[in-house]
Amino acid sequence: MYLPSIHAEEHIPSLREFIRANPLGILTTAIDSQTYPTIQSSHIPFILDIKDENDEAELGTLRGHMARANPQTKAMIENVTEGPSKETLPRLEKEVMVLFNGPVQHYVTPKFYKETKPATGKTVPTWDYSAVQVYGKATIFFDSKDPATDVFLSKQLSDLSLFGETQIMGYDKPWQTSDAPTAYIDLRKKAIIGIQIDVERMGGKWKMNQESGEGDREGVIEGFQALGTEVGDAMAKCVKERAEIAAAKKRAAS
């Protein structure tokens, strides 16, 4: 991901918070195969595990699961069973990438700019958005006969359901996997595989007109608010917040 310093976010706790707020990641792999496409992507909800929340440098581990019938899954299984990792952990040879997108993004019209457009006309459209990219090495839990796979998938399904029920839905009495028949859950587990990514690096980008002058940026905020939509209001809030963060960084550096 292209990360100009003015748009980049390097504060690890902020990146971890972003991932938890936007857990549906896009897993991308590049696996050499004679059977499946080299580059594949899938949308997967992830759980981010952090051992010490007070450690501002810890990158953590991502846990997810995928349909066994997914061609990307099949390519990963092929890689860990036929490559060098077949004698050790079922670990992919190459690193994987997961992209987490922010909840809102929007086109920015030059008509929003209150300074540059009236003064010189030297403006062009842009697009405001936020995203976090994560890179790491993935272990694949695919062998349904291996107790480790059952343990991983049981925990993954339970934790992800609890996260969705409490953190996303806000239920005091969440649905739990134990509410479903055990035989049914066991059957569902045979149709999926687990993936655990040991995060090695991550980077965030909030492209929210930080490079614009104050007048133009105020115009963007007002323009988004004038849309009269929830997305517009959310974009206006984000542009304002990131401008304040950029100003604080500039003061700290001076």
Side-chain angles (χ1 to χ4, degrees), residues 43 50 60 66 72 76 78 85 92 111 124 130 150 164 166 181 187 191 219 253:
H43 285 79
I50 300 296
M66 303 172 61
Q72 189 176 15
M76 292 192 296
E78 179 184 82
S85 63
L92 293 179
K111 292 183 178 181
V124 293
S130 56
D150 184 69
T166 59
L187 184 64

Side-chain angles (χ1 to χ4, degrees), residues 9 42 79-80 87 99 115 120 130 132 158 163 176 215 236 254:
E9 177 58 73
S42 297
N79 182 263
V80 299
E87 303 297 335
L99 171 65
E115 285 183 346
T120 67
S130 56
V132 170
S158 177
F163 177 84
Q176 302 178 62
S254 61

Side-chain angles (χ1 to χ4, degrees), residues 23-197:
L24 184 63
I26 303 174
L27 170 69
T28 299
T29 56
I31 299 173
D32 295 327
S33 172
Q34 298 297 317
T35 312
Y36 306 102
T38 300
I39 299 176
Q40 297 192 72
S41 295
S42 297
H43 285 79
I44 302 172
F46 282 97
I47 290 290
L48 175 63
D49 293 322
I50 300 296
K51 294 179 180 179
D52 182 1
E53 295 290 348
N54 294 319
D55 184 351
E56 296 195 355
E58 185 182 346
L59 300 177
T61 301
L62 289 172
R63 283 187 288 124
H65 65 276
M66 303 172 61
R68 189 175 290 271
N70 186 328
Q72 189 176 15
T73 296
K74 294 179 179 180
M76 292 192 296
I77 293 176
E78 179 184 82
N79 182 263
V80 299
T81 54
E82 297 181 4
S85 63
K86 66 180 180 180
E87 303 297 335
T88 56
L89 281 175
R91 194 174 175 92
L92 293 179
E93 297 177 57
K94 297 180 180 179
E95 69 177 8
V96 303
M97 186 269 284
V98 184
L99 171 65
F100 296 92
N101 286 307
V104 292
Q105 44 76 30
H106 210 286
Y107 171 81
V108 180
T109 171
K111 292 183 178 181
F112 284 173
Y113 300 132
K114 298 197 302 183
E115 285 183 346
T116 307
K117 183 178 181 296
T120 67
K122 295 180 179 180
T123 60
V124 293
T126 190
W127 210 286
D128 282 354
Y129 63 92
S130 56
V132 170
Q133 279 187 345
V134 174
Y135 298 84
K137 288 297 184 67
T139 301
I140 312 302
F141 294 85
F142 69 94
D143 186 353
S144 59
K145 297 180 181 179
D146 186 346
T149 297
D150 184 69
V151 170
F152 181 92
L153 291 177
S154 294
K155 178 174 174 54
Q156 170 62 18
L157 294 176
S158 177
D159 289 353
L160 184 60
S161 297
L162 183 62
F163 177 84
E165 294 285 310
T166 59
Q167 301 303 309
I168 298 177
M169 301 304 297
Y171 292 148
D172 292 328
K173 297 181 179 180
W175 179 91
Q176 302 178 62
T177 53
S178 58
D179 292 338
T182 301
Y184 175 74
I185 296 297
D186 289 341
L187 184 64
R188 299 294 295 179
K189 284 192 291 187
K190 291 180 179 180
I192 61 176
I193 62 98
I195 178 169
Q196 177 175 292
I197 303 171

